[in-house]
Amino acid sequence: MAGGADAARKPVGFYELKNKKGDFSIKVTNWGATLVSVLVPDCKGGHRGFGKVIWTVKEYVSGGDSPYITFFYHSFDGEQGFPGDLDVYATYRLSSPYDLSITMNATATTKATPVNLANHAYWNLAGHDSGDVLQQELQILASRYTPLDDTKIPTGQIAPVAGTIYDFLQPTPVGEHMDIVPGGGGGYDLNFVVDGQQDAFRQVARVEDPKSGRGMKVWANQPGVQLYTANWVINEKEKRPGLRAVRRAVPGDAGLP
């Protein structure tokens, strides 16, 4: 603790730092202490997120009309900075030759903890080694999106897509406005707020490759869908070799400064 005459005359005060939403705060004092860093869990699950750990096969059914496999992972209290033990399940199911469903759920067993699970598969409907996805037509059933600041962090606002390069309400080639997308990555990396009842299972996006005629419809019960056009994917011959439509909760609430 600091001492001296000046410190003795100065009243001790407490200061609280809060994010915009007000659900995260840090209290510090002016009495001889300096706050040098604060560590909080990041939005990707830490340096070793769930995509980099070994999962256990909990159940596997290979036959019948609806084959599936269920994976399980137990995240221990404090792993990657997150509080509490967490039991996580992910089930991949083929309910018909053309229907793939992914169901994910997690249960915190000891402490409250933030969870926002997402599937990070990339898709190129033209097929393997077919080039980029810029001519594939994308439709996102979202009339609003969450703007980003210069550091790619959500500002907390929700804005209409009408009149912007983020309007995919009608089928639009992915690369139609790619040359003017801001952010320096040369592509999209943005969250859209899906229309309709937020907890209802509904169609959120559709993609079609005009050359092959292949199409894909995406259904989900999450309020947001993140469009990412593989701007930073490395070790690929083609830039933007696939696109990703991640169904998720709307990001940024707890992370806003």
Side-chain angles (χ1 to χ4, degrees):
M1 296 180 63
D6 291 340
R9 288 194 298 268
K10 186 176 181 180
V12 176
F14 286 90
Y15 300 88
E16 186 171 13
L17 309 176
K18 288 186 176 182
N19 64 345
K20 291 180 180 179
K21 191 176 180 182
D23 58 0
F24 175 80
S25 64
I26 302 171
K27 289 183 178 180
V28 296
T29 177
N30 65 343
W31 181 260
T34 301
L35 183 67
V36 294
S37 67
V38 177
L39 299 178
V40 296
D42 69 14
C43 64
K44 298 293 185 181
H47 297 295
R48 194 175 73 105
F50 289 169
K52 298 179 180 178
V53 299
I54 303 299
W55 292 60
T56 301
V57 175
K58 198 71 171 179
E59 193 171 4
Y60 172 55
V61 176
S62 60
D65 296 332
S66 186
Y68 67 90
I69 186 169
T70 298
F71 297 95
F72 168 78
Y73 180 71
H74 174 75
S75 178
F76 58 86
D77 184 13
E79 183 176 6
Q80 300 301 307
F82 288 85
D85 293 287
L86 190 72
D87 289 338
V88 190
Y89 295 85
T91 299
Y92 295 76
R93 183 186 301 269
L94 285 172
S95 53
S96 81
Y98 305 107
D99 288 341
L100 169 66
S101 65
I102 304 172
T103 304
M104 295 178 286
N105 60 75
T107 302
T109 59
T110 56
K111 300 176 183 178
T113 189
V115 182
N116 192 359
L117 302 174
N119 174 259
H120 277 217
Y122 290 92
W123 301 89
N124 187 332
L125 300 185
H128 175 66
D129 205 20
S130 59
D132 60 45
V133 295
L134 300 186
Q135 299 306 313
Q136 296 181 26
E137 295 186 349
L138 172 66
Q139 182 179 23
I140 300 179
L141 303 179
S143 56
R144 298 175 297 164
Y145 74 103
T146 51
L148 306 176
D149 62 19
D150 293 338
T151 62
K152 306 290 285 186
I153 299 298
T155 64
Q157 299 174 313
I158 295 179
V161 301
T164 74
I165 59 174
Y166 308 120
D167 188 348
F168 286 95
L169 286 169
Q170 298 299 320
T172 305
V174 173
E176 183 164 309
H177 302 295
M178 194 73 80
D179 57 333
I180 57 174
V181 175
Y188 292 96
D189 189 3
L190 189 73
N191 177 76
F192 294 80
V193 182
V194 181
D195 295 339
Q197 186 176 333
Q198 295 302 294
D199 57 350
F201 191 70
R202 65 211 186 281
Q203 185 177 340
V204 301
R206 179 179 178 274
V207 188
E208 183 174 337
D209 175 50
K211 289 185 178 180
S212 66
R214 297 188 188 99
M216 179 177 69
K217 294 180 180 179
V218 180
W219 293 65
N221 63 352
Q222 296 298 299
V225 57
Q226 183 88 9
L227 171 63
Y228 178 57
T229 49
N231 318 324
W232 304 109
V233 172
I234 59 175
N235 298 327
E236 293 289 341
K237 292 184 294 184
E238 293 282 348
K239 191 173 183 181
R240 310 181 194 97
L243 60 84
R244 186 176 72 200
V246 179
R247 284 73 63 202
R248 60 190 284 176
V250 174
D253 287 347
L256 293 175

